Amino acid sequence: MSDIVLKVGNLAAAYRKNTVLENVSFEINSGSLTGIVGPNGAGKSTLMKTMLNLHPSLQGTVSFFHSSLEKMKKRIGYVPQRGSVDWDFPTDALDVVTMGLYGQVGWFKRASSAHKRKAYEALEKMGMADYANRQISQLSGGQQQRVFLARALVQEADLYFMDEPLAGVDAATERAIMKTLQELKSIGKTVLVVHHDLQTVTDYYDHVLFLNRTVIAHGKTKEVFTRNNIAKTYGGDIRWLGEENGYGLYPVK
Amino acid sequence: MDMGSILLNSSLQWVLFSTTILGIAAGTIGCLAYWKKQSLLSDSLAHAALPGVVIAYLMLGEKNLIIMIIGAGISALLGAYFIHFIQSSTRIKEDTAMGMILSVFFGFGIMLLTIVNRTAGGNQSGLDSFIFGQAAAMVQSDVVTMFCLTSVVILIVFIGFKEWKLYLFDPNFAKGLGLSLKWMNGIYMTIFVTTIVVGIQAVGVILIAALIIIPSVSARYWTHSFKTMILLSAIMGGISGALGTFISALGSSWPTGPFIVLFAAALFIISLLFGKEHGLLIQYIQRKRHKRLVGFHANNIRLKTKEVE
C-alpha cells in the first residue's frame, strides 16, 4: 500500500511579479494523511491551486495516479477555503452537498432523489442532518466547513485536497473534521491538508510537508517534524513554550 | 385614443409582447450577473454598444436591426475586452476600468451620432431612439428578431440551470468536477451581451442596465432559493417591460426606457419595504418583538430580585 498517487516535479508558480513557488518536488503515497505547514505567504494554498490547475504554473509537472489531472479528475476531491465562496448565495446546505454529486448526476440532468439521499447521509455523517434545509448564510463558520467537507465526501474521491479546513472552526468541529479525515485514511484514501497549527501536527498527521516557497522537508511526521525543520521553515525566532529551561530561541542556520 | 383601443392595436400588441419577453430575459440574466458580481458591467457594456450601432448604420446606410445588433454586440464585447485587459495588465481596478470604458465608448458613440444627424436625411434615421429607447418604433421584423434572441437566452439559462448555479456559487469546485470554465464564461458573456444589445432599441443604451440590475435585486427580497429568485426576477422584469411599454404608448413619441425602469424601481421599493427576506417592515417588526422579549426578561429578573429582598 505505498503506491505513489501524486507526484510533483519542479513546480513553480507566481503572482504577477512575485515568485511564490519554485522548484517544488515531492511524492505522496496512497493512504497517507499529510499536513502541509508553513508561514503565511509560504505558498501553501497556491501550491494546492497550482497542482489542481486552478492557478497557472510557470513550469514543472504534476501527475495524479501516474496520469494527468484531466483523466483523473473524478478521483480527486478539493475542499477550497471557506472564504472562497459567497455564503449569501441563496441555497441550502443539502443543495451545496448535492453539488458534489453533479459529476455523477451528469451535466444537464437533474439530481434524483437517490442523489439527494446520498447528500443527506453525508451531512448526517458530519453531524449536520438537522441543518440540511438551513440557508447557508445562516450557518456558523464551523457548520459551513462541515458542509464543504460533506460535499467532498459525496464525491467519493481517492485523493483529497483540503485548504485550511480547520481555519476558524470551534473545537467540536475540529474534532469532527479530524475524525472524518482519519476515517478517510483508514479506508485507504489519500488526504492532503493545508494546516496552520503547529501544536496539533503530530496528533493529526502521519506525514508532514514543510513549505516555504519550496519544500523544506517532507516525510513521516515522526521523522521530519523536528525543531530544526520548523526553524528552517518559519525562519527567525521560534519560541518554544514548555521548554525545560523556559524559553529557547532557534534562529535560522 | 382611449386605453381599450390602444390595447386592441395589433402592432402595439406585438411590441408589448416583445418588451415583456425582453424583461423576462433581462430579469433572468440579471440574476446571473448579480451573483457573478457584475451588475454594473451591464451598464458599461450597454453604453459601449452605442458606437457599434451607429457604425453599423453608417456602413449600411439604413436601419436594419439585425445588423445593428451585431454592431452593438461587437462594440460591447470590445468594451468588455478592454475592461478585462485594463484590470488584468495594469494596476487600475475594475470599477475604474468600467468607468473609463463606459464614458469613452459612449462619448465616441454620441460623437458619431451627431455626425450622422448632420448628414442629409440622417436626422430621420431614428438613431436617437437608441439612447432612451422607443419600443413603438419597432417594426414587425424587429419584434421577431428580439423574440428569437431573447428566447434563446432564456432557454440557455433554463437548460443549464444546475450548471449555472454551480458555476456562480463555486467556480473552482465546478472546474474540479470537470465543468469547463472557459466555456461557461464564454456562454455567459454571449448571452449577457445579447440581452443587452437586443434591448437597446426598446429600452435604450442608458437604461437597459436598469432592467438587468433592478429585478434581480427586488427578487432577492422575497426568497432564499436560487430558482425562485430567477423566476421572480424574470416575472418582475416582464411586468416592468409590459407596463412601461403600455404607458409610453399612451403618449406620442414618449420614450419607453424611462417608463420601464420606473416600473422596475416601483417593484423594487415594494420589495424593499415588504419583502419577506430582510424587507424593512419585517426587520422592524422583528426588532420590536425582540426588544419586547428582552424587556420582559429584564422585568422578570427585576421582580424576582425584589422578592428576594
Side-chain angles (χ1 to χ4, degrees):
Chain A
M1 270 299 274
S2 64
D3 188 29
I4 293 164
V5 293
L6 171 68
K7 189 173 174 177
V8 177
N10 209 11
L11 197 67
Y15 279 108
R16 296 265 162 114
K17 279 183 292 183
N18 306 325
T19 315
V20 188
L21 295 171
E22 47 192 352
N23 201 13
V24 175
S25 303
F26 61 91
E27 289 171 358
I28 298 286
N29 287 331
S30 82
S32 62
L33 175 52
T34 307
I36 301 174
V37 295
N40 290 332
K44 303 184 293 290
S45 293
T46 311
L47 171 63
M48 243 176 211
K49 285 186 191 146
T50 312
M51 288 190 289
L52 295 168
N53 201 19
L54 298 170
H55 182 82
S57 63
L58 293 174
Q59 59 165 25
T61 54
V62 186
S63 74
F64 299 86
F65 307 99
H66 306 291
S67 182
S68 68
L69 172 67
E70 226 31 67
K71 283 185 190 142
M72 291 296 142
K73 228 161 205 173
K74 284 222 163 87
R75 296 179 65 184
I76 299 162
Y78 171 52
V79 181
Q81 280 185 21
R82 186 159 46 85
S84 67
V85 303
D86 181 357
W87 289 93
D88 204 29
F89 194 85
T91 188
D92 58 29
L94 186 67
D95 198 39
V96 172
V97 179
T98 312
M99 287 180 189
L101 290 165
Y102 281 6
Q104 296 168 39
V105 173
W107 301 121
F108 309 115
K109 287 185 198 145
R110 290 181 58 150
S112 68
S113 57
H115 289 120
K116 291 264 170 196
R117 205 174 316 120
K118 205 168 169 187
Y120 183 80
E121 280 164 13
L123 272 175
E124 210 168 24
K125 199 164 189 294
M126 293 309 304
M128 289 286 294
D130 294 343
Y131 299 91
N133 297 317
R134 182 76 67 92
Q135 269 308 300
I136 57 169
S137 58
Q138 289 166 8
L139 299 173
S140 72
Q143 290 166 339
Q144 290 172 347
Q145 196 66 59
R146 288 180 196 220
V147 170
F148 257 16
L149 214 68
R151 183 179 69 170
L153 289 181
V154 295
Q155 282 184 273
E156 290 174 342
D158 293 315
L159 174 58
Y160 282 104
F161 293 85
M162 307 195 176
D163 199 348
E164 299 212 30
L166 303 180
V169 305
D170 59 17
T173 305
E174 182 159 332
R175 271 196 298 278
I177 290 174
M178 284 320 296
K179 190 170 151 251
T180 312
L181 298 194
Q182 300 283 359
E183 277 171 25
L184 285 174
K185 175 186 144 67
S186 71
I187 53 171
K189 312 270 183 183
T190 313
V191 188
L192 270 86
V193 184
V194 170
H195 190 74
H196 236 107
D197 182 11
L198 284 177
Q199 314 238 7
T200 50
V201 169
T202 43
D203 296 333
Y204 289 169
Y205 305 103
D206 56 17
H207 283 70
V208 63
L209 189 148
F210 285 102
L211 187 81
N212 195 345
R213 287 166 185 271
T214 189
V215 179
I216 307 288
H218 175 219
K220 290 208 167 86
T221 309
K222 273 181 285 184
E223 290 158 20
V224 298
F225 195 72
T226 61
R227 280 174 198 176
N228 195 10
N229 281 333
I230 295 171
K232 263 204 250 172
T233 310
Y234 286 80
D237 313 330
I238 291 282
R239 280 168 208 280
W240 290 87
L241 291 167
E243 179 97 0
E244 298 112 70
N245 332 319
Y247 289 116
L249 216 61
Y250 291 84
V252 200
K253 281 190 182 155
Chain B
M1 244 196 309
D2 66 300
M3 282 201 186
S5 62
I6 284 176
L7 268 181
L8 287 174
N9 180 333
S10 77
S11 80
L12 179 70
Q13 283 172 1
W14 274 104
V15 172
L16 260 179
F17 177 67
S18 65
T19 47
T20 306
I21 196 160
L22 171 72
I24 292 172
T28 308
I29 208 81
C31 275
L32 304 192
Y34 180 100
W35 290 109
K36 200 138 169 43
K37 321 272 145 96
Q38 284 187 339
S39 294
L40 198 58
L41 185 65
S42 58
D43 197 31
S44 305
L45 298 191
H47 281 74
L50 187 61
V53 174
V54 187
I55 289 171
Y57 173 81
L58 279 171
M59 284 168 69
L60 219 66
E62 57 167 3
K63 255 173 85 175
N64 176 322
L65 189 64
I66 297 179
I67 303 295
M68 283 162 130
I69 281 177
I70 293 172
I74 294 172
S75 186
L77 282 175
L78 207 62
Y81 173 76
F82 279 134
I83 291 169
H84 180 74
F85 175 77
I86 290 172
Q87 86 187 81
S88 63
S89 52
T90 69
R91 55 192 305 171
I92 298 167
K93 297 273 189 298
E94 189 178 20
D95 61 332
T96 316
M98 287 199 296
M100 285 164 67
I101 294 303
L102 180 154
S103 42
V104 171
F105 271 66
F106 187 63
F108 181 54
I110 293 290
M111 189 195 85
L112 289 174
L113 198 62
T114 316
I115 294 170
V116 170
N117 281 344
R118 292 244 170 100
T119 59
N123 51 349
Q124 270 103 52
S125 66
L127 279 186
D128 289 340
S129 68
F130 278 81
I131 296 181
F132 288 117
Q134 190 90 66
M138 290 178 23
V139 295
Q140 197 167 347
S141 66
D142 298 347
V143 172
V144 172
T145 306
M146 203 158 125
F147 172 75
C148 292
L149 287 171
T150 45
S151 305
V152 169
V153 168
I154 295 166
L155 203 68
I156 288 175
V157 177
F158 182 74
I159 291 173
F161 176 77
K162 168 169 129 280
E163 285 68 29
W164 288 114
K165 189 166 66 177
L166 180 64
Y167 164 75
L168 292 169
F169 175 63
D170 196 344
N172 280 347
F173 188 75
K175 193 178 177 184
L177 288 182
L179 193 69
S180 163
L181 292 190
K182 215 181 260 172
W183 271 98
M184 290 304 276
N185 284 328
I187 296 170
Y188 165 75
M189 212 21 127
T190 309
I191 57 176
F192 188 51
V193 168
T194 304
T195 311
I196 293 169
V197 297
V198 297
I200 57 179
Q201 188 187 24
V203 188
V205 292
I206 295 186
L207 293 172
I208 179 67
L211 193 56
I212 290 180
I213 299 169
I214 301 175
S216 60
V217 186
S218 310
R220 187 74 185 96
Y221 277 97
W222 296 101
T223 178
H224 268 322
S225 142
F226 185 57
K227 192 186 276 175
T228 317
M229 182 176 166
I230 285 197
L231 285 177
L232 279 177
S233 179
I235 291 169
M236 290 201 243
I239 292 175
S240 312
L243 288 178
T245 308
F246 179 68
I247 299 293
S248 79
L250 290 176
S252 65
S253 72
W254 283 1
T256 322
F259 287 104
I260 290 183
V261 170
L262 280 180
F263 276 109
L267 287 174
F268 168 71
I269 289 170
I270 293 170
S271 305
L272 174 71
L273 290 176
F274 305 109
K276 87 178 174 49
E277 304 296 344
H278 303 287
L280 291 180
L281 183 70
I282 222 149
Q283 273 192 9
Y284 175 78
I285 293 171
Q286 280 171 345
R287 189 163 334 126
K288 252 201 148 168
R289 193 187 297 150
H290 278 194
K291 242 184 184 167
R292 205 181 309 134
L293 273 175
V294 170
F296 183 69
H297 284 307
N299 235 2
N300 258 358
I301 292 168
R302 213 176 301 135
L303 283 175
K304 275 185 189 150
T305 0
K306 259 192 187 155
E307 273 170 31
V308 174
E309 279 169 4

